[in-house]
Amino acid sequence: MNREELLQHYKGKSVYDLPTPCIIADIETLEANLQKMDDFLNETSCKLRPHFKSNKCVSLARRQMSYKNTVGITCAKLSEAEQLVAGGVHDVLIANQVIGMDKTVRIAEMNQKATVRVAVDSKIGIEQLGTAAQEAGVIIGVLVEVDIGMKRGGVLPGKPVYDLVEIITDTKGVSFDGLQSYEGHIVTLEDYDERKRRVEQDLKPVIETKKHLEQKGYQLIISSGGTGTYDITGHIDGIDELQCGSFALMDSAYKKIRPEFEYARYVLATVTSNQMGNKTIDVGLKGVGAEYGIPEVIGYPEAHALGFSEEHLVFEDLNASIGDKIKMIPPHGCTTNNLYSKMWISRNDKIEDVWEIEGRGCLE
Ligand SMILES: Cc1ncc(COP(=O)(O)O)c(C=O)c1O
């Protein structure tokens, strides 16, 4: 069934009527999470560019764009940006390097109808973007990625950044728009005071780098931050945009340090087997992102997971019968959404809509 047929068939029915496994988002909880972040941003001079990688759903991105403090969408991949632009999102930051002329040409093409900026950390990356931009007759805005300790990309603050800014300034087709940093190495530190101290300490050199460039006459932004640091990074003078993504739907890994955001999305599964009292459900590693542990089963606090395989999860002490449907909170929401092609939308457990997950499998 296509989206319209699915909706016609299930709209108004109970979520428990859906075939499992599937993911479902409660619209009221989702909107409350979005509103909470927007309210927070009202107290700061910072704006939000929520990360698409966390849900991969263009309908959700469009909804986020309607909030006052949201200026655009962040994504990790070129093909995610293409889905966003095709879906009507016209201000996108790819917070990642894009290397290869075959890919930079696609970025240039998107810039003919939208603003799609890219993070850079190498001369070759800048040159490839510049060449593609000139051929397409556009200017591609770039943000220099600054490594503040995560060690997966970017250059160190200070001189390495100034050197790249000089190359950008000398390269036709690209414009220097700012700095991109992400405090991923400390975003989930459990102790809040320690997290705050580390974030402020590790972002300081980026702020100093920005000030130095401003003194030289450059106008630039800093884009940074995640769900674990939004209220720290968002209060740092000199940070212009936050890239938080997980807060919208939440997951059980983040809930430990961010109790203020509620679970808006869950996986619905069916109990399919009763093996000597242990219950097996119809979702395994292919239906829930479990890098951060075992899913939380709502309403069955006594349930204890014994083991995962591709299509099964076995519990002991799960007080449910074959055929019962159970709701589970994924430990990692970003990789969970990447496993599904649609997310059902409910209100008071009644199905209201179904949103495509266009970014599923967008790895290019
Ligand atoms: C570049 C970048 N920015 C921001 C984030 C923040 O995402 P979240 O809000 O899910 O922590 C991430 C997460 O991996 C990221 O890679």
Side-chain angles (χ1 to χ4, degrees), residues 243-290:
Q243 304 178 347
C244 323
S246 297
F247 74 98
L249 295 170
M250 282 297 287
D251 56 35
S252 60
Y254 250 134
K255 188 74 176 164
K256 292 186 197 104
I257 63 160
R258 284 298 173 204
E260 67 269 40
F261 294 108
E262 300 298 337
Y263 293 138
R265 174 251 350 262
Y266 55 90
V267 176
L268 188 73
T270 303
V271 178
T272 52
S273 182
N274 181 350
Q275 290 285 317
M276 292 169 291
N278 293 335
K279 309 289 165 38
T280 303
I281 60 168
D282 61 349
V283 62
L285 290 165
K286 286 182 175 167
V288 63

Side-chain angles (χ1 to χ4, degrees), residues 37 49-54 74-76 93-96 145 150 152 180-184 187-188 223-230 242-248 251 254 292 332 334:
M37 183 62 84
R49 184 178 286 279
H51 216 311
F52 181 66
K53 76 181 188 76
S54 307
T74 303
C75 65
L93 167 67
I94 305 175
N96 200 357
E145 182 169 352
M150 203 182 176
R152 73 170 181 191
Q180 125 92 30
S181 57
Y182 173 53
E183 57 273 34
V187 75
T188 52
S223 188
S224 191
T227 297
T229 59
Y230 75 98
L242 296 180
Q243 304 178 347
C244 323
S246 297
F247 74 98
D251 56 35
Y254 250 134
Y292 302 151
H332 193 189
C334 309

Side-chain angles (χ1 to χ4, degrees), residues 168-186:
I168 295 164
T169 312
D170 290 344
T171 305
K172 289 199 180 70
V174 289
S175 71
F176 172 61
D177 290 353
L179 306 177
Q180 125 92 30
S181 57
Y182 173 53
E183 57 273 34
H185 57 305
I186 43 181

Side-chain angles (χ1 to χ4, degrees), residues 81-82 84-93 106-117 138-141:
E82 287 174 333
L84 285 161
V85 171
V89 177
H90 292 297
D91 192 339
V92 177
L93 167 67
R106 285 157 62 182
I107 292 177
E109 272 168 21
M110 279 191 281
N111 273 280
Q112 288 170 331
K113 45 186 183 255
T115 300
V116 180
R117 295 189 176 87
V138 297
I139 300 290
I140 301 176

